[in-house]
Amino acid sequence: PKILPETMMIDWGGVFQYQQLTRVMKITNTGATDLVIRQINTSCACIEVDFNKSVIKSGNYLEITIIYDTSSRLGEETKYIQV
């Protein structure tokens, strides 16, 4: 299996505190065998990741929904998601 994210970075741009931002991102399996997603970790409780399957067949993709809650955030932020 070989993982290929749609993008390596999401720039939310200028946002206001107390917003809930959502982005859908594709993760493609460009390898020859199944890609198993066991978990997706985030660097902050302010980021929630939702996905509905854990095995991506060769040539297929998985859509993950990323939700960023800015309620307790102020100033410039850098956060990470690890698949």
Side-chain angles (χ1 to χ4, degrees):
K2 185 175 180 185
I3 190 168
L4 177 66
E6 180 177 27
T7 183
M8 294 297 287
M9 186 178 95
I10 296 173
D11 184 351
W12 299 99
V15 300
F16 294 101
Q17 193 175 16
Y18 304 107
Q19 284 185 294
Q20 185 168 312
L21 309 169
T22 304
R23 178 78 49 95
V24 175
M25 188 176 88
K26 290 181 183 178
I27 297 174
T28 303
N29 178 7
T30 60
T33 59
D34 291 354
L35 172 64
V36 178
I37 306 294
R38 290 193 175 89
Q39 67 185 62
I40 298 178
N41 298 317
T42 65
S43 63
C44 178
C46 60
I47 299 174
E48 179 183 330
V49 179
D50 185 31
F51 64 104
N52 60 1
K53 63 179 178 179
S54 59
V55 178
I56 308 171
K57 298 286 188 187
S58 176
N60 289 337
Y61 65 88
L62 166 70
E63 287 187 339
I64 64 171
T65 302
I66 302 163
I67 303 165
Y68 177 37
D69 183 358
T70 66
S71 296
S72 62
R73 319 300 335 153
L74 187 60
E76 189 172 319
E77 297 276 325
T78 301
K79 304 297 179 201
Y80 299 94
I81 298 171
Q82 181 182 24
V83 179

